[in-house]
């Protein structure tokens, strides 16, 4: 059974940076999809960055150019580097995975019902 544990959230001023980490325990075999979702108070959970086992990556338009998803296979850890943070980035951030992943990376990112495994979340707060 795969488990995901996020860390790295916190409070930062607008324009600042944070790096989130997602440590995965258990076996995640190709084909897989992994990514980051976020949920602000009163809003639906949305996908913001995702990658699959073949290296394909996709981002939500709202974070493109500011956020970077990466992975360290040796450490079984997924990262999200967030630069130029804005107050509207304030949300609970969740790591997500699906294995086997039989949908395209764009579907995984935009259809949260395609996610099979969720982490517990880490809070990011950006002040103006």
């Amino acid at each position: 059974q795969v488990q995901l544990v996020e860390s790295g959230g916190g409070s930062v001023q607008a324009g600042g940076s944070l790096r989130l980490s997602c440590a995965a325990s258990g076996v995640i075999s190709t084909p897989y999809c992994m990514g980051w979702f976020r949920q602000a108070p009163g809003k639906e959970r949305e996908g913001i960055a995702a990658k699959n086992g073949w290296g394909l990556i996709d981002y939500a338009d709202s974070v493109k150019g500011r956020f970077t998803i990466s992975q360290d296979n040796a450490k079984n850890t997924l990262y999200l580097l967030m630069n130029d943070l804005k107050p509207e980035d304030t949300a609970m951030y969740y790591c997500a995975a699906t294995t086997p992943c039989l949908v395209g990376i764009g579907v995984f990112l935009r259809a949260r019902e395609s996610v099979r495994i969720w982490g517990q979340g880490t809070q990011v707060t950006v002040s103006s």
Side-chain angles (χ1 to χ4, degrees):
Q1 183 74 17
V2 175
Q3 292 185 324
L4 306 174
V5 179
E6 304 96 333
S7 60
S11 297
V12 65
Q13 289 190 328
S17 299
L18 283 173
R19 189 180 77 159
L20 305 183
S21 299
C22 171
S25 62
V27 177
I28 299 181
S29 303
T30 302
Y32 67 82
C33 298
M34 294 189 73
W36 293 93
F37 288 66
R38 68 184 181 187
Q39 187 167 18
K43 294 189 176 181
E44 292 189 351
R45 192 171 298 188
E46 61 171 349
I48 55 173
K51 70 182 299 291
N52 65 14
W54 290 281
L56 294 177
I57 292 175
D58 197 6
Y59 295 98
D61 289 343
S62 59
V63 304
K64 202 170 290 184
R66 299 188 298 125
F67 291 11
T68 303
I69 189 171
S70 62
Q71 187 173 13
D72 186 332
N73 290 324
K75 296 182 179 179
N76 225 19
T77 301
L78 187 74
Y79 300 100
L80 184 68
L81 176 62
M82 305 184 294
N83 292 324
D84 189 24
L85 282 160
K86 303 176 181 181
E88 51 264 41
D89 294 319
T90 294
M92 184 71 78
Y93 283 70
Y94 297 89
C95 183
T98 296
T99 177
C101 184
L102 304 179
V103 299
I105 196 66
V107 173
F108 176 82
L109 184 66
R110 294 167 179 83
R112 62 183 185 273
E113 58 270 21
S114 65
V115 175
R116 293 293 176 261
I117 307 163
W118 292 100
Q120 84 287 352
T122 185
Q123 177 69 36
V124 172
T125 303
V126 184
S127 57
S128 57

